[in-house]
Amino acid sequence: MKKHERIALDSLLSRSSTDDLTGPAPKGEELETILSAVMRAPDHGKLRPWRLALIHGDARAKLADRVVASMKRIDPEVPEKKIEKRHHRMSTMPLTIVLGMHLRPDNKIPLIEQELAVGAAGMNLLNAIHAAGYGAVWVSGEITYDPVFAAELGFPAPHALAGFFFVGTPKHEDHEAKRRPVTPYIAEWNGEPVTFEADKD
Ligand SMILES: Cc1cc2nc3c(=O)[nH]c(=O)nc-3n(C[C@H](O)[C@H](O)[C@H](O)COP(=O)(O)O)c2cc1C
């Protein structure tokens, strides 16, 4: 394996999520380079269904207010503590990237494949953020599926949200989470349906 290939693989194999983030977040040209990774996602029909809404600075408080409104819309009884926690998180993350899905239900490419392409774009985004030396986490929650909130962000139906990426500098360098071995998730198919060690309990 060539050195640059080893480095790329090491990066893929060492990524893990963290929301324990501080500044700085990537910006300018560096941010654009990172975001360009979504354009490398596999994409049946070249629909490019991913959209990225960037939220930083003062806009974070506006996002937090909309999030709270969405939480109350979904559950009028939502506890004040939960609201405070979510508002604080949304208004203090160094950079939030909203991953939207520009979906075309009438296209010959099935919706599931359009959504999978956005998922692949999200994964590329996480890997690019990590490769550039930053940290991130992909979160969703019930607000992700609130059509009113999605429309407020610029994704009216049939478009939808795939989630929020909190991005910044990890507070702890050693946040890397341990992984299980992959073997239980692999099987060789030889003509009969496969079974997986991972599914035996
Ligand atoms: C579409 C999607 C939505 C997610 N939503 C949440 C979430 O709302 N809250 C959460 O704690 N983790 C969520 N996760 C999982 C985290 O992004 C992350 O994968 C998990 O914390 C494990 O960390 P790891 O990426 O290091 O394995 C979501 C993942 C995906 C793909």
Side-chain angles (χ1 to χ4, degrees):
M1 197 182 292
K2 293 190 185 113
K3 197 177 163 202
H4 73 274
E5 291 164 344
R6 184 69 240 174
I7 291 168
L9 207 47
D10 281 347
S11 182
L12 281 181
L13 294 175
S14 61
R15 185 210 65 83
S16 67
S17 303
T18 178
D19 65 352
D20 202 8
L21 297 165
T22 183
K27 59 178 170 31
E29 251 181 60
E30 189 181 30
L31 178 59
E32 195 170 326
T33 303
I34 290 169
L35 300 181
S36 300
V38 302
M39 304 306 287
R40 297 279 172 178
D43 169 25
H44 194 180
K46 293 196 169 44
L47 297 177
R48 292 178 275 272
W50 45 80
R51 299 288 184 275
L52 309 169
L54 311 182
I55 300 166
H56 45 89
D58 294 343
R60 297 178 300 173
K62 292 182 195 168
L63 173 69
D65 290 346
R66 298 290 168 98
V67 165
V68 168
S70 172
M71 289 169 78
K72 288 182 176 168
R73 196 160 40 238
I74 292 165
D75 175 12
E77 310 281 295
V78 60
E80 196 55 38
K81 258 215 146 103
K82 197 172 168 187
I83 288 178
E84 275 168 26
K85 206 173 151 196
R86 193 72 66 82
H87 192 278
H88 179 260
R89 199 179 197 212
M90 285 287 175
S91 53
T92 56
M93 284 292 158
L95 167 67
T96 295
I97 302 173
V98 179
L99 179 61
M101 302 192 279
H102 189 88
L103 300 172
R104 297 160 172 91
D106 298 329
N107 197 280
K108 65 174 185 199
I109 306 298
L111 262 184
I112 177 74
E113 295 191 18
Q114 298 179 36
E115 291 166 352
L116 286 169
V118 176
M123 186 71 254
N124 265 11
L125 184 58
L126 285 177
N127 279 323
I129 291 166
H130 172 61
Y134 296 94
V137 64
W138 181 347
V139 295
S140 52
E142 64 282 10
I143 55 165
T144 311
Y145 311 105
D146 171 11
V148 178
F149 177 70
E152 286 174 346
L153 285 170
F155 301 96
H159 313 305
L161 301 180
F164 306 82
F165 290 65
F166 298 141
V167 186
T169 299
K171 285 188 189 158
H172 307 286
E173 290 233 327
D174 58 347
H175 76 270
E176 192 183 321
K178 286 217 165 64
R179 298 290 147 170
R180 293 175 180 195
V182 69
T183 328
Y185 301 87
I186 303 170
E188 291 209 24
W189 186 80
N190 282 317
E192 294 300 321
V194 290
T195 56
F196 296 93
E197 198 58 41
D199 302 325
K200 291 179 190 150
D201 43 26

